Amino acid sequence: MLDTRMLETPDQRPAIAICAYEIGETGWDPVEDLSGMAWNPVGARTLAIDPAEPDVLAVTLSEALGLPACRGLLLVGRTRLEDGFRLQIRTENRSLDGTHRGNADGPGIARATAPTAEMVREMTEAGLKAGVSSEAEDDVGSYLLYRVLAALPEGVDTPAVGLLRAPVDAADERVQRAVKAAAQAMARHLAPLPRPRAA
C-alpha cells in the first residue's frame, strides 16, 4: 500500500521512494531514532514503501513514480554473489520464476537510471566496499527493477531508479549506512519541484 500523505504537504523537496522489498528484511529502517521521524537526505525527502507480494509491489512502486513529487526509487535487497555492496545496473525481461519472458512485448534488457558512479563513490567515502555490476540475479529484486523500468512512461523526465544489493551477511548498521549514502547521492541529481502558482 502506498501512503502518499507525506507528499501532500507544500514541501518543495523532491521525494525518493525507498523499498526494502523482501518481507522480513530488517536492514533498512527509515525511522532512525526515537523521534519517529523518517530519515531524509539533504535536499530531498524519503517515501518508505513496505514490502509486499511482488506483482502487487511492482504496481505500488510504479504508482509512486507516477506522483509528481516522486523523482527517484531505490530498491534495497541482498546479494549472494559478492562480499561487498553492489548496484545492479541492468536487468532482464524474465518472469519471477525465471522460466520465460515476463513481458511479451517489452525489451529484453532494461538499464537502471540512477547515478550509480556517484552512489558508489558516496558509499566508498562512507567506509563501505561498493561496486557496480551488470549481472542480474534471478530474484525478486531483478524482477521488480525490470517491471518498474518497463512501466516508465516515455516523453517525461526519467526518474532515478536503482537497485542496491547488500551482502547477505551485512549487519543492519552497514545496510543503513549504504542506503543513506546511496540515497544522498541520488538526491544531489534531483531537480527541485516546480513552485506552485499563486492563486
Side-chain angles (χ1 to χ4, degrees):
M1 182 176 171
L2 179 59
D3 183 357
T4 61
R5 287 173 294 180
M6 61 77 68
L7 299 181
E8 294 169 359
T9 59
D11 189 330
Q12 294 307 301
R13 295 175 300 167
I16 300 173
I18 302 179
C19 178
Y21 51 81
E22 293 284 2
I23 295 173
E25 172 61 55
T26 61
W28 168 245
D29 182 357
V31 179
E32 61 179 348
D33 56 36
L34 297 177
S35 71
M37 299 296 293
W39 172 83
N40 294 302
V42 176
R45 51 191 164 147
T46 54
L47 171 62
I49 298 181
D50 294 331
E53 187 274 326
D55 287 319
V56 172
L57 185 54
V59 173
T60 300
L61 295 171
S62 292
E63 288 176 349
L65 287 173
L67 298 170
C70 191
R71 299 290 178 85
L73 167 65
L74 181 61
L75 295 168
V76 181
R78 298 281 180 165
T79 180
R80 289 179 168 78
L81 298 183
E82 298 179 23
D83 61 354
F85 290 86
R86 60 189 288 263
L87 288 160
Q88 183 175 317
I89 61 172
R90 71 184 275 283
T91 184
E92 299 173 0
N93 183 356
R94 304 287 289 172
S95 61
L96 189 55
D97 63 8
T99 61
H100 57 280
R101 288 174 66 92
N103 182 339
D105 301 321
I109 293 173
R111 298 193 180 278
T113 57
T116 52
E118 291 87 344
M119 294 162 77
V120 167
R121 184 164 50 248
E122 190 83 20
M123 286 188 286
T124 301
E125 290 175 0
L128 300 166
K129 180 181 177 182
V132 172
S133 175
S134 61
E135 186 173 354
E137 298 186 33
D138 289 330
D139 67 356
V140 173
S142 294
Y143 175 77
L144 290 172
L145 183 62
Y146 183 89
R147 285 280 305 268
V148 169
L149 291 170
L152 291 176
E154 296 182 7
V156 297
D157 291 338
T158 302
V161 178
L163 169 54
L164 171 63
R165 293 186 179 275
V168 69
D169 59 350
D172 289 357
E173 181 275 331
R174 291 181 65 227
V175 177
Q176 296 269 350
R177 214 167 0 130
V179 171
K180 289 179 180 181
Q184 186 60 68
M186 289 177 73
R188 282 197 292 271
H189 284 259
L190 303 181
L193 301 179
R195 296 194 176 277
R197 295 182 178 179

